[in-house]
Amino acid sequence: MQYSISHVAKMAGVSARTLRHYDEIGLLAPAAVSSNGYRWYGRSQLRRLQRILLLRDLDVSLPQINAILAGDDGEASALRRHLMLVTAERDRLDRIAATIVRTLDDLEGQDRLPDEEFFRGLDAGRAQLAATLQERFGDAAASTLQIAAARTAHWTRSDYDQAAADGRELYGRLSRTRQSGVDPASPQALDIVAEHYEAVHAMWPVDPAAYHALADLIEGDAQQRGVVGAEDRHLPPWLAAAIRAYAIHRLDYRRP
């Protein structure tokens, strides 16, 4: 059975304009186009659209989705990968929600949150990041987190709060720069990304190649994308492009 573009749009909760755009960029072609220009979609197109929308819910960019789907070796394996991404994101949000609840109880005097409990979530996040770095960039990249851990070993809760506030302030300025239409490879963007590089380097001694690779992590890892895009979901791809440009133009990184 085939469905019209308006029927598919209604079923999927998207606009017909979105479906036409997906067709124009080669992401989702209709099964057939009639002589009067009407687009028609079959079951295989509906399954592909479902996968596209699953990835969009994870804030994966359209070019990335195209690349992911082009590399799929079967619908079942693709859906298993999507399930892993969704499950990882759900678990991350569950941990954040649990920490927020415990912190609210602490602030409201209902249940004093022990300091070691406060840092438990930070340790779990650091362990997850180390595992991600090791998987993506090898043992050398993951091992550098030990240096970062040593540098923050003496930190108190107020030190972490200040670091978080500084990070939010920087991401806020980066977001405003993006929203003003500044090209991520422009000198203006690179000047503010320099602050991001210095902040990262102070905690994690990245070389130019590792800083360039950090862009992939910000775009592709749900945890890091969630941190960067907490207030602006369009910031991660912009910042990733700016980081790549900074590594090339300011750190003299050369692709191998």
Side-chain angles (χ1 to χ4, degrees):
M1 184 173 181
Q2 291 190 330
Y3 302 91
S4 68
I5 189 170
S6 59
H7 193 161
V8 174
K10 184 177 181 180
M11 283 194 298
V14 299
S15 67
R17 180 180 178 182
T18 294
L19 294 176
R20 286 192 291 269
H21 177 61
Y22 288 173
D23 183 16
E24 290 166 0
I25 64 175
L27 186 58
L28 178 65
V33 180
S34 61
S35 58
N36 58 8
Y38 287 179
R39 292 171 169 85
W40 297 91
Y41 298 81
R43 185 169 180 82
S44 63
Q45 286 75 41
L46 296 182
R47 285 197 296 263
R48 184 176 176 90
L49 178 59
Q50 180 200 43
R51 288 151 61 187
I52 292 169
L53 297 180
L54 282 171
L55 290 168
R56 288 300 290 146
D57 283 343
L58 293 171
D59 289 333
V60 180
S61 68
L62 294 180
Q64 283 184 297
I65 292 174
N66 216 348
I68 290 170
L69 296 184
D72 283 346
D73 54 0
E75 291 186 7
S77 61
L79 285 174
R80 277 193 290 270
R81 286 195 294 273
H82 298 340
L83 178 61
M84 290 176 62
L85 288 171
V86 172
T87 301
E89 181 70 0
R90 180 204 63 195
D91 292 345
R92 184 183 73 85
L93 292 174
D94 284 345
R95 288 194 298 272
I96 291 173
T99 300
I100 291 172
V101 169
R102 290 196 301 271
T103 303
L104 282 172
D105 289 342
D106 177 45
L107 291 173
E108 295 170 353
Q110 298 179 26
D111 183 16
R112 176 63 186 174
L113 184 67
D115 284 347
E116 60 271 16
E117 183 72 11
F118 171 80
F119 291 108
R120 183 176 299 168
L122 298 174
D123 291 338
R126 184 180 292 132
Q128 181 178 346
L129 178 57
T132 301
L133 289 173
Q134 184 172 24
E135 178 182 352
R136 286 176 175 264
F137 310 123
D139 293 339
S143 65
T144 58
L145 279 185
Q146 296 176 1
I147 300 175
R151 291 179 178 178
T152 60
H154 65 285
W155 279 22
T156 64
R157 185 185 299 204
S158 62
D159 292 324
Y160 278 102
D161 288 343
Q162 184 60 53
D166 292 343
R168 288 192 298 271
E169 192 274 334
L170 176 58
Y171 287 135
R173 285 191 287 121
L174 286 164
S175 177
R176 290 190 291 274
T177 301
R178 182 200 68 76
Q179 293 175 32
S180 67
V182 173
D183 187 286
S186 68
Q188 181 182 351
L190 299 189
D191 285 345
I192 188 171
V193 171
E195 297 182 46
H196 180 267
Y197 170 74
E198 293 299 332
V200 171
H201 196 270
M203 298 298 299
W204 178 29
V206 289
D207 59 18
Y211 190 63
H212 186 275
L214 182 62
D216 294 336
L217 196 67
I218 288 174
E219 281 189 313
D221 180 71
Q223 180 187 21
Q224 296 306 307
R225 194 169 60 247
V227 170
V228 175
E231 302 298 331
D232 177 3
R233 70 184 185 90
H234 299 294
L235 181 58
W238 186 93
L239 179 57
I243 285 174
R244 293 185 184 103
Y246 185 89
I248 292 170
H249 298 296
R250 299 285 178 90
L251 302 178
D252 295 324
Y253 169 72
R254 295 292 179 268
R255 291 185 177 90

